Amino acid sequence: KGLHGCYSKLQNQRAGVNQQIIKQMRMRAGAENLLKATNNNKVREMVGLELSYVNSNLQLLMEELEALNSSVDVYQSPQEMSNIPLIPLGLKETKEVDFSVAFKDFILEHYSEDGNDYEDEIADLMDLRQACRTPARSEAGMELLAKYYNTLPLMESRFFTPNRQSGLFFTWYDSFTGVPLCQQNISLEKASVLFNMAALFTQIGTRSNRQTLTGLDQAVTSFQKAAGVLNHLRDTFTHIPSYDLSPAMLAMLSSMMLAQAQECLFERSVLPGIRNHFLSLLRMAQEAAKVSDIYDQVHQSMVQTPIKDNVPLFWSSMCQVKTNHYRSLAHYFLATALLDHQLGPNDDEDQQEKTLSQVYDSLPEGRSPLDLLKKREERRLIGKAHLRRAVMSHEEALRVHGLCRHLKKLDVLEEILQASLERSKDKFSANDNKDEFTDYMEAPDIISKTEHSAHPELPSNTKVKVKDFFQRLGPLSFFNAKQRWTAPRSLRLVPKDGELGFTLKGEPPVQVVSLNPSCAAAVNGLKEGDYIVAVGDIDCKGMSVSQVIGLLKDVGEEGVDLRVVSLMDGNASMHTKSATYCGLPKTYSMICLAYDQEDKSAKGGKVTKKPSFLSWGLKNRLKSASTLSLPSAEYSSTLPWNKTCTTFPGSSSFNDSSLY
């Protein structure tokens, strides 16, 4: 409850900043127009002064929005007191939308029904959209967004056509600039809801307890799903004129989420402890190098145009910090393997040589992996070189950290970086020989490698069946915005000698075929191709042939009122199932016919008991959518080495067993 309060407060602050940005942008537009329209120097001077004031305000508001985007501590799990913070995405803000007037008018105009009869359905839809503005940071919140997202195609089919303006305006604010985008195009609504689904996955990921394997698994899955949704968004909606929905930005965001997933996979591998074993340490060095490389790639994409103009400095600084931090860990692990372990008589020399050769592209001065394994002094020199690079990377991480005011607020991050630096320095001092004056060896780069690679994962709830709020309008495959229907006509149906004079076909709605032009129904206005939408007071748009026949077979000599509609453009679609009303009192036959293009029997004017309608196929069916621990912030000694392995040499000033 407290966490949700923090989220709500943060969202309210973002909404407030967005409103202020709109106000300042309107003032700026007005001032710029006035500058173009006047030649009066005094007026131009005053407007120029006002314009500089407005631009200053806009700059401050952008910085405030960036600060809100950098409030990662709000989204972290309460247990996250000894992990490097992760970056979540904030939800896009939107204005309320009132569907009432537009939908009621469309229902009356297009479907010829009273829109007021659908007030409950419209209210339910608006309630769902309103709830999606502040979803819970949980699976329930994700299901809510997925439900609305999968409702949008149904809503689009019912009420949106390419040749008619809907009269509805969807307004969404850019996550990074606060600039509003207002469109009648429902694609903006779909894309923005998808973005918020991805954002919610990132917030669930950052909220996971990364001190447990279960929490880390949840974090990995959440970030992979966020990346999957962002990739789907980039591939599906390519022309949304919003900065945060641009292909370049979405690609960067997806890669950032995969980097965080890879970081959590690394944390998962070290959580039980890293064995103080030569091969284990080499493997972890390459795993750490992999995380470093991925964050370096993300940072490189952040500093490219046009992304660099609006990405928060906090984000790019955090990527730089993590690039250097995990690179230093890689060098530290490799240095530890070389300095603390010597090739013994019982060791597998071939395996160690092969593994070590896969860590480096090349060794300095023609040295070979076998030299390092067999020569103790060579191991010491190159181990020290790795420690030097570890110290340099730690210092660079701390330097970048100190330059970003938002990063400096994260005490836990500084503690972890400082603890890592001190550990590397102490390790270097323990292996340093003060008499050496020619030790200038440069440690080679470490080849990054991982056994568990993060990958985008599209969640199944992006395509799920949902309830059609407006199913009372009739089957969506027929009663949609693209199909134009005549207004319902009422006519009297009176059987003659137990026969109605026509055949029904379809599921649903049922269609009149093989109409006898001399029957009473035809005389009263029934036409071949009409669709029956009501029998008496009973709505039958959603009924099958057998159900409608069930209503008609009990009609007495007094008859019954029918309501029928016809398609206005094109030939009426015909169904593949028919039912013929027979002359025998209160009986009827069902004939299920398969579509056959070769059988094209002509229609007869007379009612037959087994008519052939094989050439009238219906295809427009609605398709359903798918034990060496790393240093903690406290730098405590509560996370020991795996007890079955040799421990690192200790130090009275710090716990050398903390590796992360």
Side-chain angles (χ1 to χ4, degrees):
K1 195 171 182 180
L3 277 173
H4 190 67
C6 291
Y7 299 145
S8 300
K9 182 179 178 181
L10 204 61
Q11 277 188 243
N12 289 335
Q13 288 176 316
R14 285 168 61 95
V17 171
N18 287 333
Q19 292 300 322
Q20 293 179 59
I21 287 175
I22 288 181
K23 181 180 177 181
Q24 295 297 323
M25 290 186 70
R26 286 174 177 166
M27 291 175 65
R28 183 172 71 176
E32 288 173 344
N33 289 335
L34 187 55
L35 275 178
K36 294 175 184 177
T38 183
N39 292 320
N40 187 308
N41 288 335
K42 190 171 183 180
V43 172
R44 291 178 67 86
E45 184 179 342
M46 291 176 62
V47 172
L49 189 63
E50 179 68 20
L51 198 55
S52 65
Y53 174 73
V54 169
N55 284 331
S56 296
N57 281 348
L58 268 174
Q59 183 63 34
L60 291 172
L61 289 169
M62 294 296 186
E63 289 178 6
E64 189 175 346
L65 190 60
E66 179 181 333
L68 293 174
N69 281 329
S70 304
S71 301
V72 297
D73 52 326
V74 174
Y75 295 102
Q76 306 301 309
S77 165
Q79 295 85 4
E80 292 290 300
M81 304 313 294
S82 55
N83 289 86
I84 298 180
L86 299 170
I87 298 175
L89 297 179
L91 298 179
K92 283 174 69 71
E93 301 291 339
T94 182
K95 283 186 176 181
E96 290 186 22
V97 178
D98 188 347
F99 296 114
S100 300
V101 175
F103 280 9
K104 286 180 181 180
D105 288 349
F106 193 87
I107 289 171
L108 179 62
E109 175 191 331
H110 187 82
Y111 296 104
S112 302
E113 294 193 37
D114 187 351
N116 292 319
D117 292 342
Y118 290 85
E119 282 186 347
D120 289 344
E121 286 89 342
I122 295 172
D124 288 344
L125 178 63
M126 290 172 61
D127 287 345
L128 176 59
R129 187 183 190 276
Q130 184 66 17
C132 286
R133 296 178 68 184
T134 53
R137 272 62 179 180
S138 63
E139 286 300 320
M142 192 58 64
E143 289 174 8
L144 187 71
L145 288 176
K147 180 180 178 182
Y148 182 60
Y149 175 73
N150 288 287
T151 298
L152 289 174
L154 302 178
M155 190 170 80
E156 182 178 21
S157 297
R158 293 285 192 192
F159 300 106
F160 291 80
T161 60
N163 54 3
R164 182 185 188 276
Q165 294 295 330
S166 66
L168 291 170
F169 290 89
F170 300 101
T171 302
W172 287 86
Y173 296 90
D174 193 291
S175 286
F176 301 101
T177 65
V179 176
L181 177 62
C182 182
Q183 287 189 346
Q184 293 193 65
N185 189 349
I186 199 172
S187 292
L188 173 62
E189 185 87 346
K190 292 179 183 175
S192 299
V193 174
L194 258 187
F195 184 93
N196 279 358
M197 289 177 69
L200 201 57
F201 272 125
T202 69
Q203 293 178 16
I204 292 173
T206 55
R207 188 181 169 187
S208 302
N209 179 10
R210 287 151 61 205
Q211 296 299 311
T212 65
L213 290 175
T214 303
L216 283 166
D217 287 339
Q218 183 187 43
V220 170
T221 301
S222 297
F223 287 123
Q224 290 184 152
K225 287 183 176 179
V229 173
L230 291 167
N231 284 348
H232 177 66
L233 179 54
R234 182 193 61 196
D235 297 338
T236 309
F237 301 93
T238 56
H239 301 294
I240 305 293
S242 180
Y243 176 79
D244 55 357
L245 299 177
S246 65
M249 174 56 75
L250 292 173
M252 186 280 291
L253 292 176
S254 175
S255 63
M256 184 171 76
M257 296 313 146
L258 287 178
Q260 296 191 144
Q262 193 67 49
E263 182 180 6
C264 292
L265 284 169
F266 174 79
E267 291 178 346
R268 192 186 190 286
S269 65
V270 302
L271 186 65
I274 304 169
R275 292 184 64 213
N276 188 5
H277 181 269
F278 183 76
L279 296 178
S280 297
L281 289 167
L282 292 187
R283 183 174 68 84
M284 294 316 303
Q286 291 191 285
E287 292 280 356
K290 183 67 174 180
V291 179
S292 174
D293 283 356
I294 293 177
Y295 270 114
D296 188 39
Q297 293 167 14
V298 175
H299 177 254
Q300 293 305 319
S301 67
M302 283 182 177
V303 297
Q304 302 297 319
T305 305
I307 297 175
K308 67 177 183 180
D309 297 329
N310 291 299
V311 164
L313 175 64
F314 172 86
W315 289 17
S316 57
S317 298
M318 180 69 94
C319 286
Q320 279 184 285
V321 166
K322 291 189 177 183
T323 298
N324 284 285
H325 174 66
Y326 285 103
R327 182 181 296 139
S328 67
L329 282 183
H331 285 290
Y332 179 80
F333 287 147
L334 192 47
T336 302
L338 294 171
L339 294 170
D340 290 7
H341 298 276
Q342 304 300 324
L343 186 64
N346 297 325
D347 291 333
D348 188 334
E349 181 180 310
D350 291 339
Q351 184 185 15
Q352 290 200 11
E353 181 185 6
K354 180 182 178 182
T355 305
L356 191 59
S357 66
Q358 293 173 346
V359 172
Y360 298 121
D361 263 336
S362 61
L363 285 169
E365 300 177 16
R367 290 176 171 86
S368 69
L370 196 58
D371 291 335
L372 293 183
L373 289 175
K374 293 187 173 181
K375 298 177 182 178
R376 187 183 189 94
E377 186 60 20
E378 289 289 331
R379 293 167 75 106
R380 191 178 69 82
L381 290 176
I382 201 165
K384 282 180 59 182
H386 280 297
L387 285 175
R388 270 196 297 271
R389 289 196 63 176
V391 170
M392 289 170 59
S393 292
H394 284 312
E395 289 175 340
E396 178 62 14
L398 281 164
R399 186 189 70 82
V400 174
H401 172 270
L403 292 175
C404 179
R405 60 190 178 93
H406 298 305
L407 274 180
K408 288 168 72 175
K409 296 177 183 177
L410 301 176
D411 295 336
V412 61
L413 178 58
E414 184 175 8
E415 290 177 28
I416 291 174
L417 297 178
Q418 196 65 48
S420 300
L421 173 61
E422 293 303 320
R423 182 194 53 209
S424 293
K425 282 183 174 180
D426 285 357
K427 187 78 171 177
F428 184 85
S429 298
N431 289 274
D432 192 23
N433 185 346
K434 303 297 182 183
D435 297 331
E436 289 175 347
F437 297 103
T438 58
D439 184 11
Y440 299 114
M441 182 183 292
E442 179 71 19
D445 292 332
I446 300 170
I447 298 176
S448 63
K449 182 181 176 183
T450 182
E451 294 181 1
H452 305 284
S453 182
H455 57 273
E457 180 182 332
L458 188 63
S460 57
N461 57 11
T462 54
K463 289 185 179 181
V464 294
K465 286 186 177 182
V466 292
K467 174 189 174 184
D468 180 3
F469 283 103
F470 299 94
Q471 59 186 359
R472 287 200 293 127
L473 288 172
L476 185 58
S477 55
F478 276 82
F479 297 96
N480 53 57
K482 292 181 180 179
Q483 301 261 47
R484 297 192 64 212
W485 297 88
T486 60
R489 311 189 311 277
S490 293
L491 55 94
R492 192 71 178 173
L493 177 65
V494 181
K496 184 178 180 181
D497 298 330
E499 291 193 8
L500 297 176
F502 57 83
T503 300
L504 296 181
K505 194 172 189 178
E507 62 164 330
V510 297
Q511 188 177 32
V512 174
V513 291
S514 293
L515 175 67
N516 187 338
S518 62
C519 71
V523 172
N524 288 337
L526 187 66
K527 299 175 183 177
E528 191 163 310
D530 281 347
Y531 290 82
I532 299 177
V533 295
V535 176
D537 296 329
I538 301 174
D539 186 301
C540 60
K541 290 193 292 289
M543 290 186 180
S544 64
V545 172
S546 58
Q547 290 173 311
V548 176
I549 289 294
L551 296 176
L552 294 177
K553 68 179 182 179
D554 292 324
V555 175
E557 294 181 357
E558 73 282 0
V560 67
D561 288 329
L562 292 184
R563 294 186 78 209
V564 297
V565 295
S566 302
L567 277 170
M568 290 178 65
D569 32 41
N571 294 325
S573 299
M574 300 295 286
H575 295 277
T576 57
K577 180 182 283 188
S578 69
T580 306
Y581 192 87
C582 302
L584 296 175
K586 299 187 180 180
T587 65
Y588 67 97
S589 64
M590 291 281 297
I591 307 169
C592 298
L593 303 174
Y595 183 75
D596 183 357
Q597 291 185 335
E598 296 178 1
D599 187 350
K600 300 183 183 292
S601 303
K603 295 180 297 179
K606 185 177 179 181
V607 178
T608 57
K609 297 192 179 172
K610 293 189 178 182
S612 177
F613 305 112
L614 302 186
S615 60
W616 300 63
L618 174 64
K619 295 296 181 186
N620 52 338
R621 297 286 173 86
L622 179 63
K623 296 188 176 159
S624 53
S626 13
T627 306
L628 175 59
S629 55
L630 300 176
S632 67
E634 297 84 0
Y635 206 39
S636 68
S637 60
T638 56
L639 299 174
W641 285 83
N642 186 313
K643 293 181 181 178
T644 61
C645 305
T646 310
T647 60
F648 281 132
S651 171
S652 58
S653 60
F654 74 106
N655 178 6
D656 195 59
S657 70
S658 296
L659 271 197
Y660 179 53

